[in-house]
Amino acid sequence: MLLNTIIISITDRENQVHELETPTDMGLSIMELCKSYELPVEGTCGGMALCASCHVYVLSEHDLHEPSDDELAMLDSAFFVKPNSRLGCQIKITEALDGLKLKLAPVST
Ligand code: FES
């Protein structure tokens, strides 16, 4: 059986665009996808919405689920936050995200 896959496009901090093919039936998050392609996303807290190292900007018009209170609280204390900011670890990959375009937020050190 073929895996269902979609394409997600991620612009890194050097403005290189990466078209990442990803399965939709493995419960992966955007943070895990970035790590699996070795994009510079730390995922320090392991996806608990506690570190903002997976901060991304959503560039396409996809209808993402509303951020949880935990995600909003973390974004509240993160740097370089914009109206289209999300935490990559809180976005689960589903078929509805085919063609999603994201950009990695700058690292705050
Ligand atoms: Fe830590 Fe997403 S991996 S907030």
Side-chain angles (χ1 to χ4, degrees):
M1 197 180 79
L2 281 175
L3 284 175
N4 289 329
T5 59
I6 59 169
I7 302 288
I8 293 181
S9 153
I10 299 189
T11 305
D12 69 18
R13 298 183 189 102
E14 276 78 50
N15 282 322
Q16 292 279 338
V17 178
H18 304 263
E19 303 272 337
L20 308 184
E21 187 172 4
T22 177
T24 55
D25 48 6
M26 288 177 60
L28 289 176
S29 70
I30 295 293
M31 178 272 279
E32 291 162 330
L33 173 69
C34 290
K35 286 179 74 86
S36 72
Y37 277 93
E38 299 187 344
L39 292 184
V41 171
E42 291 293 332
T44 315
C45 74
M48 303 291 288
L50 289 173
C51 71
S53 68
C54 62
H55 181 187
V56 293
Y57 303 123
V58 180
L59 305 180
S60 54
E61 295 292 322
H62 285 72
D63 205 6
L64 300 180
H65 63 81
E66 292 296 309
S68 65
D69 290 348
D70 286 348
E71 179 175 354
L72 288 174
M74 189 62 238
L75 284 173
D76 222 31
S77 55
F79 295 95
F80 311 113
V81 173
K82 300 184 189 179
N84 60 345
S85 286
R86 293 299 298 259
L87 295 178
C89 67
Q90 302 300 302
I91 304 175
K92 289 287 176 214
I93 294 171
T94 65
E95 273 169 49
L97 299 192
D98 194 20
L100 181 67
K101 291 188 174 24
L102 302 172
K103 185 174 195 324
L104 300 185
V107 200
S108 47
T109 46

